[in-house]
Amino acid sequence: MDVSSQVFYLPCKISNEQFRLASNRLMTTGAFTPHDLVSNAKIETLDIFYAPIYLIKGNFSAQWTASFGYDRKVPYTHYVRDETSNTTRRETRTRIVTDWQPHSGAATGNFSHKGYAGKHDIPDGLIQDINVGLAAPFHGTTGDSLQLEKAEQSPRGVFDAQFQRSVNRQIERSVKSFAQGDQQRDWQWSSQVSLDDAILVFAPICHYVFSYKGKTFEIWIDGTDAENSFVENLPKDSSQITSSILNFAPFLGFFVLVIGSIFLHKDLFHGMRDFGGGYYVY
């Protein structure tokens, strides 16, 4: 695999103040979050850094074998015994017979994946939504004071840890796309995976850790787009949950009453019959 000697980076577009405001906004969007969460949350970590991300491209080839089954209807004679007349009659029926044929072939394909190579637990969804197409060549400085996190894994390590399984599933889908007939069985294949290229891109990541009533929570924000963010399960205000349940209770009671009335009237009219322009109960 060729690791590109050229390194890229995404300029950070969020200041510390914008980061703080975005974090506060996210803290107030959760369902049943406490009203005092922003004011009483204690900041544990407020950090913006450049995270190492590898853009990995590769290809695969697979040799496969399988058996494909083709169904056909075959007529046969079935004898039915009539115990009443003590006779036997013949019936022509059909059964499904499957003819199996061996097949083999080759499947090929390409893949491209984006993986974080650092030591933090950055949510993968955040990494995947970063627009690396806006990256600029890195010439030793980003033009700001943010730190560059060191890549802790090689491109091969990132691939093996994060993408090997997904590529294996891609290979399986590619192989089985050659399926023919009405049934298939005995799939077997051997594959080779090649990593062709890996490009290192440093992307700005905002990490906010806060504590509230003895528990710690995390917020992750894309430093190029604050809309791309991840919030760990925020604290819930039990009083708001209780109030919501109590407010909903009258509507639930009314709904149960309506449903009960429908079934009651259904049973009543089930025991009535039209008679001379009226009804009588039987």
Side-chain angles (χ1 to χ4, degrees):
M1 175 185 58
D2 295 327
V3 179
S4 176
S5 58
Q6 190 172 12
V7 180
F8 294 83
Y9 83 104
L10 289 164
C12 184
K13 297 181 179 180
I14 298 179
S15 66
N16 285 338
E17 180 62 16
Q18 291 172 322
F19 175 29
R20 185 185 64 81
L21 293 175
S23 299
N24 290 346
R25 184 180 68 254
L26 290 170
M27 291 168 65
T28 60
T29 57
F32 307 117
T33 52
H35 297 303
D36 64 344
L37 180 57
V38 174
S39 58
N40 288 341
K42 179 183 177 182
I43 300 176
E44 303 292 344
T45 302
L46 185 61
D47 189 23
I48 305 179
F49 61 94
Y50 283 98
I53 298 174
Y54 277 114
L55 305 182
I56 301 173
K57 296 181 179 180
N59 67 85
F60 65 82
S61 61
Q63 300 293 324
W64 60 267
T65 61
S67 295
F68 298 155
Y70 299 85
D71 296 341
R72 57 187 174 90
K73 293 182 178 180
V74 177
Y76 70 96
T77 301
H78 181 73
Y79 294 91
V80 179
R81 180 71 177 175
D82 188 339
E83 299 295 341
T84 303
S85 61
N86 198 28
T87 58
T88 301
R89 69 177 188 276
R90 294 187 301 174
E91 293 182 353
T92 299
R93 299 183 178 181
T94 59
R95 64 164 62 95
I96 301 297
V97 175
T98 303
D99 298 320
W100 292 96
Q101 300 177 7
H103 288 263
S104 62
T108 59
N110 300 305
F111 57 84
S112 177
H113 290 288
K114 182 167 44 181
Y116 170 61
K119 61 182 180 180
H120 292 89
D121 293 324
I122 303 177
D124 184 63
L126 186 83
I127 296 295
Q128 299 308 318
D129 288 341
I130 294 176
N131 185 6
V132 295
L134 302 176
F138 177 72
H139 298 298
T141 179
T142 59
D144 52 43
S145 59
L146 302 181
Q147 288 191 338
L148 271 67
E149 182 186 7
K150 178 183 177 182
E152 300 289 336
Q153 293 179 294
S154 65
R156 169 59 72 174
V158 170
F159 176 82
D160 291 343
Q162 302 179 35
F163 307 123
Q164 182 69 68
R165 290 183 179 180
S166 64
V167 170
N168 287 344
R169 290 193 294 269
Q170 182 182 352
I171 293 172
E172 180 177 359
R173 290 193 300 270
S174 179
V175 166
K176 291 186 176 180
S177 68
F178 290 93
Q180 300 178 28
D182 302 296
Q183 303 181 54
Q184 302 83 35
R185 69 183 185 188
D186 303 329
W187 284 102
Q188 295 185 17
W189 63 85
S190 59
S191 60
Q192 291 184 333
V193 176
S194 299
L195 303 185
D196 300 328
D197 190 21
I199 299 174
L200 180 60
V201 177
F202 286 101
I205 298 293
C206 309
H207 186 208
Y208 178 36
V209 181
F210 68 93
S211 59
Y212 178 81
K213 292 186 177 181
K215 293 185 178 180
T216 302
F217 304 89
E218 291 183 279
I219 293 177
W220 298 90
I221 298 176
D222 176 358
T224 66
D225 180 9
E227 295 299 319
N228 179 21
S229 59
F230 176 86
V231 185
E232 189 183 27
N233 292 330
L234 292 172
K236 300 288 190 297
D237 185 348
S238 58
S239 63
Q240 290 188 47
I241 297 175
T242 302
S243 177
S244 177
I245 294 174
L246 292 176
N247 290 335
F248 181 71
F251 298 98
L252 179 61
F254 177 75
F255 177 77
V256 172
L257 180 62
V258 171
I259 296 298
S261 298
I262 292 174
F263 280 98
L264 178 62
H265 285 79
K266 180 181 179 182
D267 292 338
L268 177 61
F269 282 100
H270 179 73
M272 302 180 69
R273 179 176 298 169
D274 188 6
F275 181 75
Y279 292 88
Y280 73 93
V281 178
Y282 62 93

